[in-house]
C-alpha cells in the first residue's frame, strides 16, 4: 500500500484501493443510496428512509434479473465501531512504546530499519503501514502464511509451528496438524486434488511433454495443448476466441495497458483487485472510481465523461472502459451485471469483466457471472478469468471477439514476453474444464457446480441464522464474516485452528481498518458433515468471542418493485 | 453462554475484557502494564468519588436548599 510519486496519478485522483484506506465515510450513505435506488419515486418520505436502518438491498425485475438479487451489507453497530477504534488506539499506544524502546536500544529490533549509513536518506520505514506491520500485524502473524504439507483440498495437513519470541521467528516442531477442514482455499469446484481424472491426465502429459519449454508462445513455446486449451476456453465461454496466460495477475495488469492508453477513460469499481488497479495505472489512461456496485454512481460518471469529454481540451474520450469483477473477493458481492451491460450499451462504453472468482463458481452451468444472470457472453467485450481458482491450475485467460484476441496476441506484454504455460498445468485446465462441460461423459462437473451452490446457500443461511454479520450476495461462495476488533482477528484464527478448522482472517490494509473479517471460501468438495462441523465450531467460537453482532436475524427477503427509469434521476 | 461456576464466568469476563481492549495480542509484560494502569485509574476514580462525592452532594444540597427551601413561609407573616 505504499505509494511513491511515480505510481500516483498526475491529476491527483484517488484510484482503486486507495479509496479504501481508513474508514469509508460513505458506508452508511452507500447503503441508503442503494436502497433508494430501488424505491421509486424517491422524492417522497426521504426523511423517513434516512432514519430507517436498511440492511438488505433487493432488486427484482423480470427484464433484468431472472432471480432475486439479494445483497446485504449490515451496518457496523455503533458500540462495536467505538470499541474497535478504542482497541486500535490502545494497540497504537503500545506500538509507540515499543518503538520508543527499540529506538533507545532497550529492546532488540527484529525488523528491517533504516541503515546507519543511510541516515539522511528518505526514511523507508516510517509510514503507517510499516508501523502497523511492526506493532500490530506481527503480534498475530501466526494466523497467516501457515505452511501446509498436503493437497489444499477440502481437508489439509498443517505443519505445526511454535514461536519462542512472540511471532518474530517460527520453529517447526516436526509434527503435522492432521485433517484440518480447509475453509480458506479458492477451491470452488474441488479440483485441487492429487488423485482422480485431472491428476492422472496431468501426470501423463508430464511424461510426454515434460514440464515446460522455456520459451514464449511466439517463439518456440507453442504446443498443440495450448491451442487446444484456448479453443476449449472459447467454447466453454461461448465466445469467438480466447487466449491464455501463465499468470492471472499479469493477465489483468498487462492486458489493460494493451487495451487503453492516453486519452481513454477507465471507470473502475472502488473495490477492484490490485491487479486491475495496477493495469489501469500502467495504461496511462484517466481513471475514475465509482462506488462499489453502485450503478447510479457509474451512470453519473459515464454521463459526465460523455458530456465533458477530456479535461481541458474537452475532446471526447477515445474509449471508455468499465472495469468490474464478477465476485468481489473481500465483500462477497456479485456485480450487477445486467445493469452494467444496460449502461454500457446505452453509453457505448466497453466492458472488462474480471471473472477471477466467479468462473466455474457461479451459474447453472458454471460459466461464471454471465451464466448466472443468463446473459449473452458477447455483451461483455473483454471476459477475463483465472484458472487458479475453480480449475485448480494456474494462469488466466482473456476471451472475446476474434479481432480483440488477435490484437492482444501481438500487443499484450504478457503474451509477447511471458514463457508459455507448463503442459501439465494446461492439461489440468483442459481436463477440469471438460469435466465441467460434461464432455468427459460424466456428470461430475455439473454435480460439483450444483453442490457448490447448495453448500453456499446452506452455509450462508446457517451463519445468518446464528446471528453473524455476513457480507455479500446470497449466492456468492465467498463468505466474509465480520470480526471488527483487532484482537478478535487473532483470537478467531487461533481458536478455529484449535478446533481443527483453517480459516482466513483479513484485516487492514486489505479491508478498511475497522472492518476486519474472516473469509470463508466454500468448496464443492466440502461434505455436509464437514460444513456442519465447521458451523458448530464457528458458532462456539462466535459465542466465546461475542461475534454475533447482527441485529437482523435471517428473515424472508422483501422484493421491491423495480422501475427501469431509475437511472433518469442521478442529480442527487 | 452457560457457566459451571463463578470462576469460569470471571475467566470469561476477563477474556472479553482482553479482546475488547485489544490487549489480548500484547505480550504479558505489556498486559500487566496496561492492567495496572487501567485498574489503578479505576481504583483512583472509585476512591476519589468515595471521598469527594458525599461532600459535593452535601454542598449541592445546601446550595439548592438555599435557593428553593428554608425560606420563611411568608414574608407578610413576619411583619405582623
Amino acid at each position: 500500500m505504499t505509494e511513491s510519486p511515480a505510481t500516483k496519478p498526475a491529476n491527483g485522483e484517488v484510484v482503486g484501493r486507495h479509496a479504501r484506506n481508513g474508514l469509508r465515510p460513505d458506508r452508511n450513505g452507500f447503503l441508503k443510496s442503494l436502497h433508494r435506488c430501488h424505491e421509486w419515486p424517491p422524492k417522497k418520505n426521504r426523511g423517513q428512509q434516512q432514519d430507517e436502518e436498511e440492511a438488505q438491498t433487493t432488486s427484482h425485475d423480470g427484464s433484468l434479473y431472472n432471480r432475486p438479487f439479494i445483497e446485504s451489507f449490515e451496518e457496523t453497530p455503533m458500540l462495536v465501531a467505538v470499541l474497535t477504534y478504542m482497541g486500535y488506539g490502545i494497540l497504537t499506544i503500545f506500538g509507540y512504546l515499543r518503538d520508543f524502546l527499540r529506538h533507545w536500544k532497550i529492546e532488540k529490533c527484529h525488523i528491517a530499519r533504516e541503515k546507519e549509513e543511510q541516515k539522511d536518506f528518505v526514511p523507508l520505514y516510517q509510514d503507517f503501514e510499516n508501523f502497523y506491520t511492526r506493532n500490530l500485524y506481527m503480534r498475530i502473524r501466526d494466523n497467516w502464511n501457515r505452511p501446509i504439507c498436503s493437497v489444499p483440498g477440502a481437508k489439509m495437513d498443517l505443519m505445526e509451528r511454535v514461536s519462542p519470541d512472540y511471532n518474530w521467528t517460527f520453529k517447526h516442531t516436526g509434527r503435522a496438524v492432521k485433517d484440518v477442514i480447509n475453509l480458506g482455499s479458492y477451491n470452488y469446484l474441488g479440483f485441487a486434488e492429487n488423485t482422480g481424472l485431472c491428476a492422472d491426465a496431468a501426470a501423463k502429459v508430464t511424461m510426454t511433454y515434460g514440464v515446460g519449454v522455456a520459451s514464449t508462445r511466439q517463439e518456440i513455446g507453442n504446443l498443440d495443448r495450448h491451442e487446444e486449451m484456448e479453443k476449449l476456453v472459447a467454447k466453454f465461454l461461448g465466445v469467438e476466441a480466447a487466449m491464455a496466460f501463465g499468470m492471472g495477475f499479469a493477465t489483468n495488469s498487462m492486458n489493460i495497458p494493451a487495451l487503453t492508453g492516453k486519452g481513454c477513460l477507465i471507470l473502475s469499481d472502488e473495490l477492484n483487485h490490485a491487479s486491475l488497479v495496477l493495469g489501469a495505472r500502467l495504461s496511462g489512461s484517466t481513471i475514475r472510481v465509482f462506488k462499489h456496485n453502485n450503478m447510479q454512481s457509474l451512470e453519473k460518471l459515464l454521463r459526465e465523461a460523455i458530456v465533458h469529454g477530456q479535461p481541458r481540451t474537452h475532446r471526447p474520450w477515445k474509449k471508455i472502459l468499465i472495469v468490474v469483477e464478477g465476485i468481489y473477493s473481500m465483500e462477497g458481492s456479485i456485480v450487477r451485471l445486467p445493469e452494467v451491460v444496460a449502461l454500457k450499451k446505452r453509453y457505448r462504453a466497453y466492458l472488462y469483466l474480471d471473472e477471477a472468482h466467479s468462473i466455474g463458481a457461479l451459474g447453472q452451468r458454471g460459466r461464471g457471472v454471465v451464466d448466472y444472470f443468463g446473459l449473452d457472453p458477447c455483451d461483455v467485450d473483454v471476459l477475463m478469468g483465472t484458472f487458479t481458482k475453480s480449475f485448480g491450475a494456474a494462469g488466466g485467460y482473456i476471451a472475446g471477439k476474434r479481432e480483440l484476441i488477435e490484437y492482444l496476441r501481438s500487443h499484450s506484454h504478457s503474451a509477447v514476453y511471458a514463457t508459455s504455460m507448463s503442459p501439465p498445468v494446461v492439461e489440468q485446465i483442459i481436463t477440469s474444464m471438460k469435466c465441467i462441460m460434461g464432455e468427459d461423459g460424466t456428470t461430475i462437473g455439473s454435480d460439483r457446480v450444483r453442490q457448490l451452490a447448495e453448500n453456499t446457500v446452506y452455509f450462508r443461511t446457517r451463519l445468518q441464522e446464528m446471528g453473524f454479520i455476513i457480507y455479500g450476495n446470497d449466492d456468492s461462495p465467498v463468505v466474509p464474516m465480520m470480526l471488527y476488533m483487532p484482537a478478535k482477528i487473532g483470537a478467531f484464527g487461533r481458536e478455529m485452528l484449535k478446533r481443527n478448522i483453517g480459516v482466513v482472517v483479513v484485516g487492514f490494509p486489505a479491508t478498511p481498518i475497522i472492518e476486519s473479517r474472516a473469509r470463508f471460501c466454500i468448496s464443492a468438495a466440502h461434505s455436509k458433515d464437514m460444513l456442519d462441523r465447521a458451523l458448530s465450531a464457528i458458532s462456539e467460537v462466535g459465542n466465546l468471542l461475542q461475534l454475533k453482532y447482527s441485529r437482523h436475524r435471517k428473515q424472508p427477503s422483501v422484493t421491491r418493485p423495480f422501475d427501469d427509469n431509475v437511472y433518469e434521476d442521478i442529480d442527487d | 453462554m452457560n457457566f459451571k461456576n463463578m470462576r469460569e464466568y470471571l475467566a470469561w469476563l476477563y477474556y472479553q475484557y482482553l479482546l475488547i481492549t485489544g490487549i489480548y495480542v500484547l505480550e504479558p509484560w505489556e498486559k500487566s502494564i496496561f492492567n495496572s494502569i487501567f485498574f489503578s485509574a479505576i481504583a483512583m476514580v472509585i476512591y476519589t468519588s468515595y471521598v469527594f462525592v458525599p461532600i459535593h452532594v452535601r454542598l449541592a444540597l445546601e446550595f439548592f436548599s438555599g435557593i428553593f427551601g428554608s425560606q420563611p413561609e411568608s414574608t407578610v407573616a413576619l411583619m405582623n
Side-chain angles (χ1 to χ4, degrees):
Chain A
M1 294 305 294
T2 52
E3 186 173 59
S4 67
T7 59
K8 208 170 189 171
N11 47 7
E13 278 170 358
V14 183
V15 181
R17 290 249 159 207
H18 283 270
R20 306 213 56 195
N21 281 359
L23 176 69
R24 262 170 297 157
D26 55 354
R27 169 55 97 191
N28 294 347
F30 158 63
L31 273 173
K32 275 161 196 151
S33 70
L34 265 184
H35 166 56
R36 211 185 297 150
C37 146
H38 297 293
E39 202 138 28
W40 184 265
K43 292 280 186 269
K44 298 169 195 166
N45 61 11
R46 173 82 47 91
Q48 289 160 24
Q49 281 179 25
Q50 301 262 330
D51 305 331
E52 191 182 317
E53 239 185 20
E54 187 60 47
Q56 299 226 323
T57 56
T58 313
S59 70
H60 182 65
D61 178 48
S63 64
L64 281 179
Y65 292 96
N66 52 7
R67 53 180 299 166
F69 185 85
I70 306 164
E71 213 147 82
S72 71
F73 296 94
E74 192 172 329
E75 270 179 62
T76 309
M78 180 57 83
L79 179 66
V80 173
V82 169
L83 291 175
T84 307
Y85 278 120
M86 190 196 73
Y88 275 110
I90 292 168
L91 292 180
T92 309
I93 292 169
F94 275 95
Y96 278 116
L97 172 73
R98 298 298 289 271
D99 272 1
F100 174 83
L101 294 181
R102 283 181 200 123
H103 183 255
W104 292 101
K105 306 261 172 18
I106 300 170
E107 188 190 342
K108 193 168 173 290
C109 183
H110 297 278
I111 206 167
R113 58 194 307 184
E114 321 292 346
K115 277 184 181 171
E116 200 56 44
E117 59 267 31
Q118 290 179 351
K119 214 167 56 184
D120 300 323
F121 284 60
V122 179
L124 292 171
Y125 305 108
Q126 248 180 24
D127 60 354
F128 179 71
E129 272 78 13
N130 278 297
F131 178 86
Y132 183 87
T133 309
R134 203 164 50 226
N135 294 311
L136 282 87
Y137 168 70
M138 268 299 164
R139 298 177 189 276
I140 47 174
R141 194 162 71 114
D142 55 326
N143 290 297
W144 289 277
N145 306 327
R146 289 174 180 149
I148 64 170
C149 50
S150 73
V151 188
K155 284 188 175 180
M156 59 182 176
D157 299 341
L158 290 183
M159 290 167 78
E160 195 182 60
R161 55 181 187 174
V162 290
S163 176
D165 49 3
Y166 300 100
N167 293 347
W168 288 101
T169 56
F170 287 106
K171 277 194 193 111
H172 292 290
T173 56
R175 285 189 295 272
V177 188
K178 291 270 181 199
D179 288 334
V180 177
I181 296 177
N182 182 3
L183 287 178
S185 291
Y186 296 136
N187 179 20
Y188 297 122
L189 294 180
F191 280 112
E193 37 190 18
N194 56 359
T195 53
L197 219 61
C198 299
D200 294 344
K204 205 170 140 219
V205 162
T206 317
M207 301 311 280
T208 45
Y209 286 80
V211 289
V213 283
S215 178
T216 67
R217 292 282 301 278
Q218 299 194 346
E219 285 167 0
I220 52 168
N222 200 15
L223 300 174
D224 58 342
R225 306 309 289 167
H226 293 126
E227 305 272 340
E228 190 192 333
M229 171 185 57
E230 290 182 344
K231 285 203 186 83
L232 188 70
V233 172
K235 195 176 155 204
F236 177 74
L237 295 165
V239 292
E240 285 175 10
M243 64 185 300
F245 304 87
M247 178 180 165
F249 191 100
T251 313
N252 275 335
S253 57
M254 293 287 102
N255 282 311
I256 296 178
L259 293 171
T260 62
K262 262 191 191 151
C264 300
L265 175 69
I266 292 179
L267 296 177
S268 169
D269 191 289
E270 65 175 338
L271 301 186
N272 271 346
H273 186 252
S275 57
L276 293 167
V277 173
L278 180 68
R281 286 184 189 168
L282 287 177
S283 71
S285 325
T286 306
I287 303 159
R288 293 199 181 134
V289 179
F290 60 93
K291 283 189 195 138
H292 176 55
N293 233 351
N294 186 332
M295 293 304 121
Q296 285 183 312
S297 170
L298 174 60
E299 173 155 40
K300 194 158 179 259
L301 287 179
L302 275 169
R303 283 194 172 194
E304 273 171 13
I306 287 166
V307 171
H308 299 299
Q310 299 185 33
R312 291 202 301 276
T313 59
H314 295 290
R315 284 184 195 139
W317 293 101
K318 287 181 189 160
K319 270 175 248 168
I320 299 178
L321 184 69
I322 304 169
V323 180
V324 289
E325 283 186 52
I327 294 182
Y328 292 86
S329 66
M330 279 299 164
E331 313 293 301
S333 50
I334 296 177
V335 64
R336 294 172 174 274
L337 195 63
E339 294 170 64
V340 177
V341 169
L343 282 178
K344 160 205 126 79
K345 281 185 179 162
R346 179 180 287 181
Y347 294 99
R348 305 265 148 75
Y350 295 100
L351 177 58
Y352 185 106
L353 175 65
D354 177 350
E355 292 216 77
H357 289 270
S358 53
I359 191 71
L362 277 186
Q364 288 264 302
R365 303 177 306 140
R367 264 41 161 209
V369 70
V370 180
D371 182 26
Y372 175 75
F373 289 115
L375 298 172
D376 180 8
C378 300
D379 282 344
V380 181
D381 299 287
V382 190
L383 280 161
M384 179 271 164
T386 59
F387 301 124
T388 320
K389 280 125 193 167
S390 297
F391 303 105
Y397 66 82
I398 293 257
K401 296 232 160 33
R402 189 167 300 285
E403 301 87 55
L404 169 83
I405 301 304
E406 272 163 13
Y407 171 80
L408 282 179
R409 238 181 246 290
S410 50
H411 285 83
S412 157
H413 301 307
S414 53
V416 179
Y417 302 113
T419 314
S420 73
M421 288 169 82
S422 168
V425 174
V426 173
E427 192 59 29
Q428 163 84 19
I429 297 164
I430 294 175
T431 327
S432 55
M433 201 171 271
K434 277 188 175 164
C435 188
I436 300 171
M437 292 163 86
E439 282 196 0
D440 59 345
T442 62
T443 55
I444 298 174
S446 52
D447 286 348
R448 288 191 183 192
V449 172
R450 213 189 51 248
Q451 183 69 43
L452 175 66
E454 273 173 28
N455 283 357
T456 303
V457 171
Y458 177 69
F459 196 79
R460 277 188 168 264
T461 319
R462 286 291 306 277
L463 281 183
Q464 268 164 351
E465 282 167 1
M466 287 173 189
F468 293 106
I469 294 188
I470 304 294
Y471 273 9
N473 194 294
D474 278 7
D475 290 322
S476 136
V478 185
V479 189
M481 185 184 108
M482 304 312 288
L483 302 174
Y484 298 113
M485 293 174 204
K488 289 186 181 177
I489 307 173
F492 188 76
R494 289 173 194 167
E495 290 294 332
M496 289 306 279
L497 189 60
K498 267 188 211 162
R499 289 159 178 78
N500 248 19
I501 291 159
V503 295
V504 173
V505 283
V506 196
F508 182 81
T511 66
I513 194 140
I514 69 158
E515 291 179 10
S516 309
R517 58 196 71 175
R519 192 183 54 187
F520 308 114
C521 296
I522 306 305
S523 163
H526 290 137
S527 63
K528 179 117 188 318
D529 174 53
M530 280 184 214
L531 287 182
D532 278 334
R533 267 173 52 204
L535 282 164
S536 69
I538 292 167
S539 178
E540 196 185 318
V541 176
N543 282 333
L544 181 68
L545 308 186
Q546 293 289 293
L547 293 172
K548 299 181 176 176
Y549 300 115
S550 180
R551 286 164 297 176
H552 310 261
R553 292 285 163 133
K554 180 81 178 170
Q555 53 210 2
S557 59
V558 202
T559 45
R560 288 205 189 79
F562 185 92
D563 198 291
D564 198 30
N565 55 4
V566 285
Y567 297 125
E568 300 302 328
D569 179 62
I570 53 161
D571 299 326
D572 53 347
Chain B
M1 301 287 284
N2 17 343
F3 304 100
K4 286 187 207 99
N5 48 33
M6 195 63 187
R7 195 185 148 80
E8 209 170 276
Y9 177 67
L10 287 179
W12 182 79
L13 267 189
Y14 180 65
Y15 191 64
Q16 297 307 312
Y17 158 77
L18 289 183
L19 287 172
I20 287 171
T21 52
I23 59 170
Y24 170 84
V25 302
L26 299 185
E27 290 169 26
W29 65 270
E30 290 169 312
K31 262 183 210 161
S32 46
I33 288 181
F34 181 85
N35 279 339
S36 42
I37 292 175
F38 185 72
F39 285 114
S40 53
I42 286 186
M44 274 189 272
V45 167
I46 292 171
Y47 177 72
T48 40
S49 49
Y50 169 73
V51 172
F52 291 107
V53 164
I55 299 172
H56 282 291
V57 167
R58 194 163 46 84
L59 287 174
L61 276 178
E62 275 172 20
F63 176 74
F64 285 112
S65 60
I67 297 173
F68 302 113
S70 84
Q71 278 178 345
E73 286 194 356
S74 164
T75 42
V76 184
L78 272 178
M79 287 172 74
N80 286 337

